[in-house]
Amino acid sequence: MSKSNTILYLDGVSVSFDGFRAINNLSLVLDKGEMRAIIGPNGAGKTTMMDIVTGKTRPDEGEVFFDGQVDLTKHDEAEIAMMGIGRKFQKPTVFESHTIEENLMLALKGPRSIFPALFHRRSAAETRQIDDILGIIRLGDKRDELAANLSHGQKQWLEIGMLLAQDPKLLLVDEPVAGMTDAETEETARLLKDIARDHSVIVVEHDMHFVRELGVKVTCLHEGSVLSEGTLDFVSADERVVEVYLGR
Amino acid sequence: MITGRFFAAGADRRIAITIFILLAVAVIVPLLNLAVSPASAFYVPSYIVALTGKYLCYALLALALDLVWGYCGILSLGHGAFFALGGYAMGMYLMRQIGSRGVYGNPILPDFMVFLNYKELPWFWYGFDHFWFAGLMVLAVPGLLAFVFGWFAFRSRVTGVYLSIITQAMTYALLLAFFRNDMGFGGNNGLTDFKDILGFNVQADATRSALFAASAVMLALAVFVTWAIVGSKYGKLLMAVRDAESRTRFLGWRAENVKLFAFTVSAVMAGIAGALYVPQVGIINPGEFEPSNSIEVVVWAAVGGRGTIVGPIIGALLVNAGKSWFTGVLPEFWLFALGGLFVAVTLLLPKGIIGMWDSWRGNAKALRAASVAEEAGSDSDVPPPAKVVRSEARKPGDWSASNPEPQPAE
């Protein structure tokens, strides 16, 4: 397998916590511009995989490469974020004591050191970017509201908006539709498909309707390694996938 | 109704008014002490000047703590150490100013060194005969200690209770170190018996008034600086780190640097407070490193309202005024009263006096709006009370957290 044209390349990755193998010889390749859905039962290692990619967890063994040449195991969270990997958490995590606008302002691409932030004055270009993102995530009328006052679904969107503000090359989106209504879920699928036009995206999700809506290649994880990979129809027809999901 | 307007105004106006009051006090109190005859009803006695000057230093210390605790969630239980270090730097200058007027009449060595058979001045006392050098050390020593301490603690991602415990250990270690006679800082007795500051007698009324004014002006300056910091993008980031540290990391911010900057600035502010405190009380000894002192600072900030700028100042002034009164009337019960106060504030006023005032104002406003709307026969545009409270408390500099508890370590 050649790394050169991939945005994310994991090969033979393993990690264990106190003897429990959360990730077991996992190999996964994402091409540039691709959107991938990852499914799998609880404890399959989906979130741990994201932790490894974003530098929160160091793998015990294996290779993790970003953009073909950057070894992600040698960098920490902040560096990896600056290289262009954005992550949305499973539990929506926004700055609740700040307004929507301030949340986006803190996420906007730009210098990340203390003194520029101390003397920062917002430019017209930044205001325009924030306006654009507010339009995309459909929160334009709430820009001065505290993030704490948003509904669960709106927080999910705000967090996706913050990822967009970061302008990453690769987005890791963990359970974007958990706790959303059906209408919101459909909106979110549309939003992610929009985003996928000029970004590479990995979506972790349990909701099969939503995955079907995305209409992309699916990887099913089980016990820390890839169980099955292909279209949703192919994967859901796979005997072993049915087995791990239904526990037969 | 001055206090009413003071509290009711928006946060930015509240800051402006606080600064104005502090500057006015810096002028008026010395005038009333020096220019008014002691027989007059307007005369401010010298002991009041010295006492309130001391409280203003405490208020500055409380504000310094609030910058890291209220705005960044770092519950430091060691801020008394930075205060004491600033105080020692100033004390060393004051000791060198005594010159040959000490009991032993040694022109170079302070009395305690003669007593302990020092032959020459230890190297770390060099330069302290210059005020500018001592002033520099007042900023540099606490700042450097905070920087080094914070560098290791924040990089290792020590948070929550663990961080609080090691800050407490830091001040305790310094307490033990400064108690030792061969440290060269006067041991148990510390530094005292000061004569002059910048050529003026420290005991004189005029000097005391000037020190009082300097404390008030410095506090006003600190209020302004803190307000500017927390209102900037960095300030927003500081609160973001407090509320969701991992989110800031995954956005590419270095949370440890964000904390380190605030911690260092805060330590420098605490050091300045200590330096202003020492000439006013006339002594600095290792007792200032006492862990309980640092905990008391936390109580002041909590009582006034952490995460606000004015709150810790009010808290420090009120609790210390209470302490002065209480220790006069019922000295043996003061610690119980202080403990009880902390428990009561934590349970009943989680946002302190300022937070209570804001929510009270918010409710009153909402009620008024509701009754007005009722009279007009329409309630369509009545904002729900809770919302009013939030938007009131939201303005920069007057931030109050929904839950700024120290987060448990991961």
Side-chain angles (χ1 to χ4, degrees), chain B residues 84-362:
Chain B
L85 286 172
Y88 263 98
M90 179 56 84
M92 286 161 82
Y93 163 76
L94 294 169
M95 286 309 267
R96 296 295 309 271
Q97 293 304 298
I98 297 172
S100 56
R101 287 169 291 174
V103 177
Y104 297 105
N106 190 313
I108 304 290
L109 296 185
D111 278 349
F112 76 89
M113 291 192 190
V114 180
F115 181 74
L116 293 171
N117 286 323
Y118 277 71
K119 293 293 166 258
E120 56 186 13
L121 202 64
W123 61 269
F124 47 83
W125 277 74
Y126 291 157
F128 278 96
D129 45 339
H130 302 292
F131 185 77
W132 65 266
F133 182 81
L136 199 67
M137 289 300 120
V138 163
L139 308 179
V141 173
L144 204 65
L145 174 66
F147 186 84
V148 172
F149 182 90
W151 172 267
F152 288 110
F154 300 140
R155 268 174 68 90
S156 321
R157 302 201 182 168
V158 180
T159 53
V161 182
Y162 299 98
L163 188 83
S164 301
I165 291 171
I166 59 169
T167 54
Q168 183 97 103
M170 173 191 75
T171 192
Y172 191 64
L174 285 167
L175 168 81
L176 296 180
F178 274 74
F179 258 127
R180 297 170 62 237
N181 278 333
D182 38 4
M183 271 290 277
F185 295 104
N188 194 9
N189 298 320
L191 311 175
T192 187
D193 207 13
F194 308 136
K195 305 274 192 257
D196 290 346
I197 179 165
L198 291 168
F200 300 100
N201 180 0
V202 284
Q203 310 279 354
D205 280 355
T207 316
R208 286 185 176 253
S209 285
L211 286 167
F212 172 90
S215 308
V217 169
M218 197 50 85
L219 181 57
L221 187 69
V223 167
F224 179 77
V225 168
T226 310
W227 171 78
I229 288 177
V230 300
S232 70
K233 184 178 173 184
Y234 167 78
K236 307 253 182 280
L237 185 60
L238 197 61
M239 294 175 235
V241 167
R242 173 194 62 195
D243 294 346
E245 183 172 332
S246 57
R247 176 77 274 168
T248 59
R249 284 186 200 281
F250 289 117
L251 287 177
W253 295 101
R254 296 209 160 273
E256 58 271 25
N257 293 357
V258 174
K259 292 181 182 177
L260 187 58
F261 179 79
F263 196 61
T264 308
V265 169
S266 167
V268 169
M269 276 164 63
I272 294 173
L276 287 164
Y277 171 84
V278 165
Q280 298 190 69
V281 297
I283 185 169
I284 173 80
N285 63 28
E288 294 296 335
F289 287 105
E290 202 69 71
S292 60
N293 281 14
S294 298
I295 293 171
E296 226 173 285
V297 184
V298 172
V299 179
W300 305 337
V303 167
R306 67 182 159 180
T308 67
I309 291 177
V310 181
I313 297 174
I314 291 180
L317 297 180
L318 282 182
V319 174
N320 280 296
K323 182 181 185 175
S324 294
W325 176 79
F326 219 105
T327 45
V329 184
L330 289 167
E332 58 273 35
F333 288 106
W334 164 244
L335 278 178
F336 295 103
L338 185 70
L341 182 68
F342 190 50
V343 172
V345 164
T346 313
L347 290 178
L348 306 175
L349 302 176
K351 290 172 185 172
I353 293 172
I354 290 284
M356 180 192 65
W357 178 269
D358 280 340
S359 70
W360 183 77
R361 289 289 307 175

Side-chain angles (χ1 to χ4, degrees), chain A residues 54 56 76-79 81-82 85-89 93-99 102 105-107 111-115 117-118 120 126 145-146 149 159 162-163 166, chain B residues 157 228-229 232-254 256-259 261 387 390-391 394 399-402 410:
Chain A
T54 52
K56 193 177 173 202
D76 69 2
E77 295 105 312
E79 281 168 348
M82 289 302 281
I85 298 185
R87 177 178 185 181
K88 196 200 89 59
F89 294 106
T93 311
V94 294
F95 306 129
E96 305 224 330
S97 50
H98 289 323
T99 63
E102 288 165 346
M105 192 183 73
L106 286 174
R112 288 292 196 249
S113 35
I114 303 299
F115 291 99
L118 205 51
H120 175 84
E126 284 179 325
E145 285 252 7
L146 285 189
N149 297 349
E159 200 175 1
M162 288 163 77
L163 292 198
Q166 239 181 307
Chain B
R157 302 201 182 168
I229 288 177
S232 70
K233 184 178 173 184
Y234 167 78
K236 307 253 182 280
L237 185 60
L238 197 61
M239 294 175 235
V241 167
R242 173 194 62 195
D243 294 346
E245 183 172 332
S246 57
R247 176 77 274 168
T248 59
R249 284 186 200 281
F250 289 117
L251 287 177
W253 295 101
R254 296 209 160 273
E256 58 271 25
N257 293 357
V258 174
K259 292 181 182 177
F261 179 79
K387 211 166 138 188
R390 285 220 183 81
S391 55
R394 238 307 303 155
W399 194 85
S400 51
S402 51
E410 278 154 29

